[in-house]
Amino acid sequence: MKPQSILVLLVLAILALHCKENEAVSFPWSCASLSGVCRQGVCLLSELHFGPLGCGKGFLCCVSHFL
């Protein structure tokens, strides 16, 4: 292999390892960052359901349609 190819592969490997370590940090969305509220069971009619997104077990992230 050419020295340039080895260097490129080495840099890609380092970047891949760095991204794997910071995987949890690279996901910035949470219920609070979306101005949502954790509700148990069902969202109100004026809210959209966004999944658990940091809410506890049995709770849903509900975000108002009217921000």
Side-chain angles (χ1 to χ4, degrees):
M1 277 189 163
K2 295 181 180 178
Q4 295 89 355
S5 300
I6 295 173
L7 181 62
V8 168
L9 289 175
L10 182 62
V11 169
L12 289 175
I14 291 171
L15 287 174
L17 289 174
H18 185 277
C19 291
K20 187 67 175 173
E21 289 175 3
N22 294 328
E23 190 172 325
V25 177
S26 67
F27 190 70
W29 299 284
S30 68
C31 197
S33 69
L34 293 172
S35 300
V37 177
C38 292
R39 298 197 188 276
Q40 189 172 12
V42 182
C43 295
L44 300 176
L45 294 176
S46 63
E47 297 174 332
L48 292 173
H49 170 246
F50 272 89
L53 282 181
C55 297
K57 185 177 181 181
F59 287 82
L60 306 171
C61 179
C62 302
V63 179
S64 176
H65 289 283
F66 314 105
L67 294 176

